[in-house]
């Protein structure tokens, strides 16, 4: 018999969600529309015209949801704050009723011994700020810093773990490049400007958090952190890999971790933008000391130079005639060989190991967290109402084993957050894709832990992976 794979004592076992994907209650307690309300209500933008209007009613069911987390033995819960709930116009004083929801949620978590990890921005920009220019406008970065300070003042006494942005790549390049995410714009120059202003928002936001939070608070960012591989060792393919890697990773971790945009990224994108949006002092403002780095990983990308016919999978987020890769529109994306999840994303745990080891090298001394990892499957209750999802268990097992390997190789990974606690609104895919460890019946809102939830609870309880069946 194989030894179970044991994780270090104190390793954090968590699950993650985001506000717009689960809360619903979009018109309650002073909340105004975010770009995702507008986008999802625009015909043709989401599968089935689905919206987050109701989602899984977490806004009203949070107490039961936290009880469920406790039953599953979770040590940590990563959630996001809805900006338009606490600062409806994106300016001015906070709305107390909005903040009160998060105070109650956090208190409930703390009462159950579950560590809250708070993400400030998981894609739901107040619509008023989009109307004023959105992320391509510099002003939005200042607005974010103000918002970060308001939330820190309200919740800094009870939340220690803070994350500025979730996957700014998606906000910039799916939101303003391919347009498959809100606000649905398709302007490559605007996408690069958005990326810079998201970086600036992270830097200024981190400063605002430091000013408002007690010293024990920890500040991190959750990066998209793509694993990009070349189809062959031909020079064109290797160069395609380099360009995509810069547009996926370097554009954010360059300024955030090293205080500069990669010189070759600036050269590669010169015909799209002159980067005049980068002002003096910006890079110093963006490069803030961090306490941890969050990595979100689902699947690797495989690229080549020449159009190879075949695959047109550009980002795994739905079809668009517009590329999310400014200046690298010629690069072809291929399906990585192997089994896929219901998203069509190839299952490849070696990518997670590779990613962790890369950031171990590039950000020495910075503790790492896997802030998202998980899989969508077409789950259905059986005749007894139970939901069996052996594929998800296999996915989680494989990826946790990869984390364990990285630990053995010297990486400082402190925790893992499964995406997601609950089935929820999967952005452009609406409710057609289920990522939850807990099944949600969208008619009745009844929650049923899937077999993967029970499996994960055992992993969390024992701090070790069972030998693979
Ligand atoms: C995350 O996005 C989100 O944070 C979360 O809200 C969402 O529900 C969840 O994942 C599931 O989608 O081929 O180079 O474009 C993940 C989005 C998926 C974007 C993988 C990049 C492939 C890399 N990412 N995708 S690439």
């Amino acid at each position: 018999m194989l030894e179970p794979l044991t994780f270090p004592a104190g390793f954090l076992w968590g699950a993650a969600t985001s506000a717009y994907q689960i809360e619903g209650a979009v018109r309650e307690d002073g909340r105004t529309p975010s770009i995702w309300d507008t986008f999802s209500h625009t015909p043709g933008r989401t599968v089935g015209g689905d919206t987050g209007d109701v989602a899984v009613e977490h806004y009203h069911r949070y107490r039961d949801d936290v009880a469920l987390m406790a039953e599953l033995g979770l040590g940590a819960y990563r959630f996001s704050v809805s900006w338009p709930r606490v600062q409806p116009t994106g300016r001015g004083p906070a709305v107390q009723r909005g903040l009160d929801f998060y105070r109650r949620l956090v208190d409930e978590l703390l009462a159950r011994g579950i560590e809250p990890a708070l993400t400030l921005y998981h894609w739901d920009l107040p619509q008023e700020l989009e109307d004023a220019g959105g992320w391509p406008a510099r002003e939005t970065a200042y607005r974010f810093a103000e918002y970060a300070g308001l939330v820190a003042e309200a919740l800094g006494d009870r939340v220690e773990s803070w994350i500025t942005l979730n996957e700014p790549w998606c906000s910039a390049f799916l939101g303003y490049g391919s347009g498959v995410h809100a606000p649905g714009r398709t302007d490559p120059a605007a996408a690069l400007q958005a990326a810079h202003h998201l970086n600036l928002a992270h830097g200024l936001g981190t400063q605002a958090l430091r000013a408002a939070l007690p010293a024990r608070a920890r500040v991190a960012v959750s990066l998209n952190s793509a694993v990009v591989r070349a189809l062959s060792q031909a020079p064109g393919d290797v160069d395609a890999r380099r360009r995509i890697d810069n547009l996926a990773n370097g554009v954010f971790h360059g300024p955030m971790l090293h205080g500069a945009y990669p010189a070759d990224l600036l050269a590669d994108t010169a015909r799209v933008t002159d980067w005049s949006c980068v002002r003096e002092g910006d890079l110093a403002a963006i490069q803030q000391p961090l306490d941890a780095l969050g990595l979100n990983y689902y699947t690797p990308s495989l690229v080549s130079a020449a159009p190879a016919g075949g695959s047109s999978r550009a980002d795994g987020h739905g079809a668009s005639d517009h590329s999310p890769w400014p200046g690298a529109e010629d690069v072809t994306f291929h399906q990585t060989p192997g089994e896929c999840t219901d998203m069509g994303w190839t299952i490849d745990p070696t990518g997670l190991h590779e990613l962790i080891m890369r950031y171990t090298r590039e950000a020495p001394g910075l503790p790492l967290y896997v802030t998202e990892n998980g899989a969508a499957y077409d789950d259905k209750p059986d005749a007894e109402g139970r939901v069996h999802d052996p594929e998800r268990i296999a996915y989680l097992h494989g990826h946790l084993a990869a984390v364990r390997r990285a630990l053995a190789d010297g990486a400082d990974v402190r925790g893992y957050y499964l995406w997601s606690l609950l089935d929820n609104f999967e952005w452009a895919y609406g409710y057609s894709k289920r990522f939850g460890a807990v099944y949600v019946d969208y008619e009745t809102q009844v929650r049923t832990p899937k077999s993967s939830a029970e499996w994960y609870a055992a992993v969390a309880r024992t701090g070790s992976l069972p030998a693979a069946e």
Side-chain angles (χ1 to χ4, degrees), residues 4 32 112 135 139 173 196 203 219 249 281 348 357 376 431 465:
T32 56
R112 304 246 184 200
W135 286 111
E139 177 68 10
F173 297 105
H196 178 63
V219 179
N249 298 303
D348 188 349
M357 297 319 292
Y431 299 98
L465 283 178

Side-chain angles (χ1 to χ4, degrees), residues 196 200 255 259-261 278-288:
H196 178 63
L200 188 60
Y261 285 102
V278 183
R279 303 224 185 126
E280 210 183 320
D282 283 5
L283 290 166
I286 295 166
Q287 190 189 19
Q288 294 298 313

Side-chain angles (χ1 to χ4, degrees), residues 18 21 122-123 166-167 169-170 174 224 226 244 296 298-299 301 313-317 325 333 343 345 372 419 424 426-427 435:
S18 89
Q21 295 180 273
H122 201 125
W123 310 352
N166 177 69
E167 298 194 6
W169 183 85
C170 295
L174 301 180
N224 197 68
I244 294 300
N296 295 358
Y298 292 88
T299 186
S301 301
R313 174 181 166 272
D315 52 56
H317 266 262
W325 305 105
F333 281 71
M343 296 296 283
W345 296 349
E372 284 181 29
W419 183 273
N424 62 46
E426 177 51 32
W427 307 113
F435 272 92

